[in-house]
């Protein structure tokens, strides 16, 4: 329940702070390890997707796997877009862009300073703001080179979405499909 509604029912600001402190104490004190944990600086690059399930299919020679990951083409664009926001003066001076950048960092920064193990899925909220920044940078002007890049980037993102569709949804795929189309890096498990 959003705190706003709880405040109207007698929930106090002191209780809000107490809850925040409890959550911070839990997360900062958590000592655990996991083979799919990853550091914050690797998330925008989809370094280590979180492998949720892998198993044999009901059909001979097929595999079924479920992976939690962002679209690499889209996520790889978030860091250059964030940098471009501060590089281009016409973007830097727009207040709404600074708000989006602040929202991006508000979701990302707590995981940068968190001492507990973290996973790529912690980047999902930041990625949403990063995707908005990508769109803004791609549409900052209508020059021909940027227009061509924009359409190529969109086409690549759509193609990659459909390539990874089966392993995001847990559909049957052949081992050959996994090895030839999905396993771009050695630490991507499918």
């Amino acid at each position: 329940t959003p705190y706003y509604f709880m405040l109207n029912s007698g929930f106090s600001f002191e209780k809000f702070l107490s809850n925040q402190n409890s959550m911070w104490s839990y997360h900062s004190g958590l000592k655990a390890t996991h083979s799919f944990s990853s550091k914050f600086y690797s998330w925008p690059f989809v370094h280590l997707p979180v492998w949720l399930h892998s198993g044999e299919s009901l059909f001979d020679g097929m595999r079924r796997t479920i992976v939690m990951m962002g679209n690499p083409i889209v996520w790889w664009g978030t860091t250059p877009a964030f940098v471009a926001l501060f590089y281009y003066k016409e973007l830097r001076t727009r207040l709404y862009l600074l708000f989006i950048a602040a929202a991006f960092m508000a979701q990302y920064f707590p995981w940068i300073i968190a001492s507990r193990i973290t996973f790529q899925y912690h980047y999902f909220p930041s990625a949403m703001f990063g995707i908005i920044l990508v769109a803004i940078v791609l549409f900052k002007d209508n020059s021909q080179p940027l227009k061509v890049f924009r359409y190529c980037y969109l086409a690549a993102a759509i193609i990659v979405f459909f390539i990874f569709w089966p392993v995001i949804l847990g559909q049957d795929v052949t081992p050959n499909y996994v090895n030839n189309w999905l396993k771009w890096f050695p630490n991507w498990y499918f």
Side-chain angles (χ1 to χ4, degrees), residues 15-29:
K15 184 66 175 168
F16 167 79
L17 291 176
S18 172
N19 286 348
Q20 298 301 312
N21 187 43
S22 294
M23 287 184 282
W24 178 256
S25 296
Y26 169 78
H27 287 288
S28 63

Side-chain angles (χ1 to χ4, degrees), residues 136-155:
I136 289 168
V137 169
L138 287 177
F139 285 89
K140 78 176 194 63
D141 65 47
N142 274 326
S143 66
Q144 189 61 29
L146 187 58
K147 193 180 285 189
V148 169
F149 180 78
R150 184 168 49 222
Y151 289 120
C152 290
Y153 182 83
L154 180 61

Side-chain angles (χ1 to χ4, degrees), residues 111-160:
W111 297 112
I112 292 172
I113 62 172
S115 60
R116 62 159 283 170
I117 62 170
T118 55
F119 298 88
Q120 181 180 304
Y121 59 76
H122 290 123
Y123 185 67
F124 283 10
S126 293
M128 299 303 108
F129 295 105
I131 292 166
I132 293 169
L133 291 175
V134 167
I136 289 168
V137 169
L138 287 177
F139 285 89
K140 78 176 194 63
D141 65 47
N142 274 326
S143 66
Q144 189 61 29
L146 187 58
K147 193 180 285 189
V148 169
F149 180 78
R150 184 168 49 222
Y151 289 120
C152 290
Y153 182 83
L154 180 61
I158 291 169
I159 290 166
V160 167

Side-chain angles (χ1 to χ4, degrees), residues 56 60-65 163 166-167 171-184 190:
E56 296 299 319
D60 286 340
M62 301 291 278
R63 293 185 58 207
R64 181 172 290 164
T65 186
I163 288 171
V167 296
Q171 297 177 337
D172 293 331
V173 293
T174 65
N176 191 35
Y177 184 82
V178 169
N179 293 328
N180 293 334
W181 288 93
L182 303 177
K183 198 164 177 67
W184 295 3
F190 297 105

Side-chain angles (χ1 to χ4, degrees), residues 5 18-19 26 36 41 46-47 61 68 77 95-96 103 105 108 118 145-146 177:
F5 297 115
S18 172
N19 286 348
Y26 169 78
F36 287 102
Y41 48 80
V46 196
H47 174 70
M68 187 184 328
L95 189 58
Y96 70 93
M105 287 309 295
Y108 199 38
T118 55
L146 187 58
Y177 184 82

